[in-house]
């Protein structure tokens, strides 16, 4: 690879020093689109539960790139053919895989910008950057879109054992202070290989894979879907929904131009380069700045929800294996209607229910393949002696209900 003549080393608390492998990577990191990730929270509203969880998508992107660089070197040492162009493509693809995330990452995905997943937006950003860098990202885009003729390259970027997951589990557990997610990413990477164009894990790495899948389950239920973070993110969505309703009705709301641009849309418009440039101006600062202002708005529903999030005086939340009794929820809704003189539609911002689900391992998707010593390829579930691991391939669904504490 062409080495950069600019020294740029990031001191990462997880892996130590992370360097910029070449000039293109250096320029991508320095680009305003990528620098914006410094202002996008990695774990949404989880900091209300785990005070240390203030790290950003910028940290995660660099960490994922570092792990990709390690994986490339391991595979090359094992005789896997990876050209210099493909190496750069892999590093760029993983570096930019989350560049399309909006404010608070998954918390507001598909809402502030309607019907646009972060994957779609990441691709749009990559295509814009490709124009700016004269086609230098063509290989990265092909890998990202699963169009590249070597499947293992896409699997390194997006699969059930990709560099994205290997970084965020270790990183999120570190910042949250939850030891259950502390996986051995170095061990997993050292066990990677390629057979018939697809990524496999050598047999002696099976226990590291088991630990990885168990860690993923623990992190989802203990951290990512923690009930306090869940209710905070639900309130955040409802704040944005209420703001959009008020703007459509003609109410005045303060806020950044980028935020008001997206909240004020009555109908989804074609997401062109102009809209993408507006989206690139959006980050957590826009949302928190608006919420701090809206807590004093004359609309009771909006101001109350904003105060709840800012002061961490959240709704009461229960998570159970079965949906809440609809009659009991209706009684709580009527109580809020009467107490605050609201319509049922307005009160539904404070009394609501929903469901959450998680599957730690999708055996029907891109399976994690184990390379046996005799050369045979099998699914990790068939080789694992952990009964609990087989249970991880089943979807677990739980149901939550939220309402004001005074309505308990």
């Amino acid at each position: 690879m062409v080495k950069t003549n600019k020294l740029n080393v990031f001191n990462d608390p997880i892996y130590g020093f992370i360097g910029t492998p070449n000039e293109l990577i250096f320029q991508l990191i320095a680009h305003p689109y990528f620098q914006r990730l410094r202002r996008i929270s990695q774990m949404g509203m989880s900091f209300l539960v785990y005070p240390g969880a203030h790290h950003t998508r910028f940290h995660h992107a660099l960490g994922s790139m570092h792990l990709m660089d390690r994986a490339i070197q391991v595979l090359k040492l094992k005789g896997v053919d990876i050209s210099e162009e493909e190496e750069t493509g892999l590093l760029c693809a993983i570096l930019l895989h989350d560049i399309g995330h909006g404010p608070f990452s998954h918390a507001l995905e598909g809402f502030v910008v309607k019907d646009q997943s972060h994957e779609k937006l990441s691709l749009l950003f990559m295509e814009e950057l490709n124009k700016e860098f004269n086609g230098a990202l063509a290989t990265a885009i092909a890998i990202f879109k699963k169009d590249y003729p070597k499947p293992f390259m896409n699997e390194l970027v997006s699969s059930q054992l990709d560099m994205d997951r290997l970084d965020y589990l270790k990183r999120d557990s570190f910042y949250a202070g939850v030891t259950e997610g502390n996986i051995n990413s170095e061990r997993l990477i050292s066990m990677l290989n390629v057979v018939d164009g697809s990524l496999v894990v050598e047999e002696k790495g099976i226990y590291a894979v088991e630990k990885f899948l168990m860690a993923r389950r623990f992190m989802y239920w203990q951290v990512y879907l923690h009930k306090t973070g869940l209710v905070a993110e639900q309130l955040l969505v409802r704040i944005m929904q209420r703001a959009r309703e008020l703007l459509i009705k003609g109410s005045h709301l303060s806020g950044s131009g980028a935020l008001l641009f997206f909240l004020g849309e009555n109908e989804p418009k074609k997401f062109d380069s102009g809209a993408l440039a507006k989206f690139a101006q959006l980050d957590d600062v826009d949302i928190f700045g608006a919420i701090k202002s809206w807590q004093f708005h004359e609309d009771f529903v909006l101001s109350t929800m904003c105060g709840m999030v800012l002061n961490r005086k959240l709704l009461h939340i229960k998570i159970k294996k079965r949906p809440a009794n609809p009659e009991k929820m209706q009684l709580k809704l009527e109580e809020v209607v009467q107490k605050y003189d609201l319509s049922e539609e307005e009160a539904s911002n404070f009394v609501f229910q929903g469901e959450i689900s998680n599957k730690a391992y999708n055996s029907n998707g891109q399976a994690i393949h184990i390379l046996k010593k005799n050369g045979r390829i099998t699914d990790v579930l068939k080789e694992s002696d952990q009964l609990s691991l087989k249970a991880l391939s089943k979807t677990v669904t739980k149901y939550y209900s939220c309402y004001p504490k005074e309505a308990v």
Side-chain angles (χ1 to χ4, degrees):
M1 300 176 75
V2 179
K3 301 297 180 182
T4 175
N5 57 7
K6 297 179 181 179
L7 178 64
N8 197 4
V9 177
F10 299 92
N11 193 350
D12 184 74
I14 309 295
Y15 311 117
F17 292 112
I18 297 175
T20 48
N22 59 52
E23 189 72 30
L24 177 60
I25 296 292
F26 178 90
Q27 291 174 352
L28 288 172
I29 292 173
H31 196 281
Y33 285 171
F34 191 83
Q35 289 293 313
R36 167 184 161 273
L37 296 182
R38 292 181 184 271
R39 304 184 299 278
I40 302 292
S41 171
Q42 166 78 4
M43 292 174 62
M45 304 297 286
S46 293
F47 64 88
L48 292 177
V49 185
Y50 303 99
H54 276 288
H55 56 302
T56 67
R57 288 282 156 184
F58 185 87
H59 296 99
H60 168 56
L62 290 179
S64 299
M65 182 193 71
H66 170 75
L67 293 184
M68 180 66 82
D69 188 46
R70 293 285 302 116
I72 290 169
Q73 302 315 314
V74 165
L75 293 176
K76 287 173 76 172
L77 281 172
K78 293 181 180 181
V80 179
D81 181 32
I82 301 175
S83 69
E84 186 175 305
E85 180 185 330
E86 290 169 338
E87 188 171 341
T88 299
L90 282 166
L91 292 171
C92 291
I94 197 68
L95 182 72
L96 303 175
H97 78 284
D98 273 347
I99 199 170
H101 265 296
F104 294 101
S105 294
H106 293 286
L108 291 174
E109 182 159 347
F111 183 81
V112 171
V113 182
K114 296 185 209 174
D115 304 322
Q116 293 284 348
S117 68
H118 77 272
E119 290 91 353
K120 289 181 181 178
L121 293 170
S122 291
L123 181 57
L124 290 174
F125 273 121
M126 291 170 75
E127 289 170 344
E128 282 294 310
L129 289 168
N130 194 40
K131 295 174 188 175
E132 190 171 329
F133 288 92
N134 301 314
L137 297 179
T139 302
I141 290 171
I143 293 170
F144 186 81
K145 292 170 65 178
K146 302 184 181 181
D147 288 343
Y148 203 72
K150 295 183 178 180
F152 79 90
M153 293 194 174
N154 172 258
E155 290 165 359
L156 285 169
V157 175
S158 177
S159 67
Q160 294 196 83
L161 191 63
D162 55 32
M163 300 306 106
D164 172 32
R165 295 186 185 193
L166 290 188
D167 180 78
Y168 77 63
L169 285 176
K170 194 173 183 70
R171 184 171 303 278
D172 295 351
S173 66
F174 173 84
Y175 280 97
V178 179
T179 57
E180 286 84 353
N182 187 18
I183 59 169
N184 192 342
S185 54
E186 283 292 326
R187 173 66 174 172
L188 282 164
I189 288 172
S190 70
M191 291 294 103
L192 293 178
N193 210 326
V194 174
V195 175
D196 296 330
S198 294
L199 201 64
V200 297
V201 179
E202 293 166 359
E203 185 177 7
K204 55 189 175 181
I206 190 168
Y207 296 116
V209 175
E210 289 176 352
K211 170 79 182 335
F212 162 76
L213 292 174
M214 293 297 293
R216 191 163 183 267
R217 176 183 179 274
F218 284 133
M219 286 296 289
Y220 267 88
W221 289 119
Q222 191 171 338
V223 178
Y224 303 133
L225 297 176
H226 188 283
K227 65 178 185 177
T228 303
L230 176 61
V231 70
E233 291 182 1
Q234 286 295 317
L235 281 170
L236 193 62
V237 169
R238 283 163 171 77
I239 287 170
M240 294 300 117
Q241 177 67 55
R242 186 64 176 176
R244 179 170 281 157
E245 291 170 0
L246 293 173
L247 284 169
I248 291 172
K249 291 177 181 176
S251 295
H252 172 73
L253 285 178
S254 59
S256 69
L259 179 61
L260 296 179
F261 171 81
F262 289 108
L263 289 184
E265 288 182 318
N266 292 316
E267 297 292 336
K269 298 174 183 175
K270 183 179 179 183
F271 207 88
D272 54 18
S273 57
L276 188 68
K278 280 281 187 186
F279 179 76
Q281 298 171 26
L282 269 181
D283 54 51
D284 294 7
V285 179
D286 296 79
I287 304 298
F288 257 133
I291 290 175
K292 286 183 71 177
S293 173
W294 297 345
Q295 68 178 318
F296 305 111
H297 195 273
E298 61 184 11
D299 181 72
F300 173 83
V301 174
L302 181 64
S303 61
T304 301
M305 289 193 294
C306 289
M308 285 178 168
V309 169
L310 285 175
N311 302 312
R312 201 187 180 276
K313 294 184 177 178
L314 306 170
L315 297 170
H316 185 73
I317 178 172
K318 284 186 176 181
I319 297 181
K320 295 186 175 182
K321 293 181 180 179
R322 296 180 180 84
N325 186 312
E327 294 178 359
K328 289 184 179 180
M329 292 299 291
Q330 183 61 32
L331 287 174
K332 296 181 189 301
L333 182 69
E334 290 172 1
E335 184 178 332
V336 172
V337 167
Q338 293 174 5
K339 184 169 183 176
Y340 299 108
D341 191 25
L342 303 173
S343 67
E344 283 203 0
E345 184 181 355
E346 290 172 328
S348 65
N349 287 290
F350 303 103
V351 181
F352 53 86
Q353 57 185 320
E355 65 179 57
I356 48 177
S357 61
N358 175 246
K359 180 191 285 190
Y361 179 66
N362 184 2
S363 56
N364 296 321
Q366 285 181 318
I368 297 176
H369 291 118
I370 303 297
L371 173 63
K372 302 273 286 179
K373 290 179 182 177
N374 61 9
R376 194 163 55 91
I377 306 293
T378 63
D379 190 295
V380 67
L381 291 186
K382 293 179 181 177
E383 293 305 311
S384 173
D385 54 8
Q386 293 274 345
L387 292 174
S388 55
L389 200 61
K390 293 175 175 61
L392 297 183
S393 63
K394 298 178 180 178
T395 301
V396 177
T397 302
K398 297 182 181 181
Y399 302 88
Y400 64 87
S401 55
C402 305
Y403 41 85
K405 293 179 180 178
E406 58 268 25
V408 173

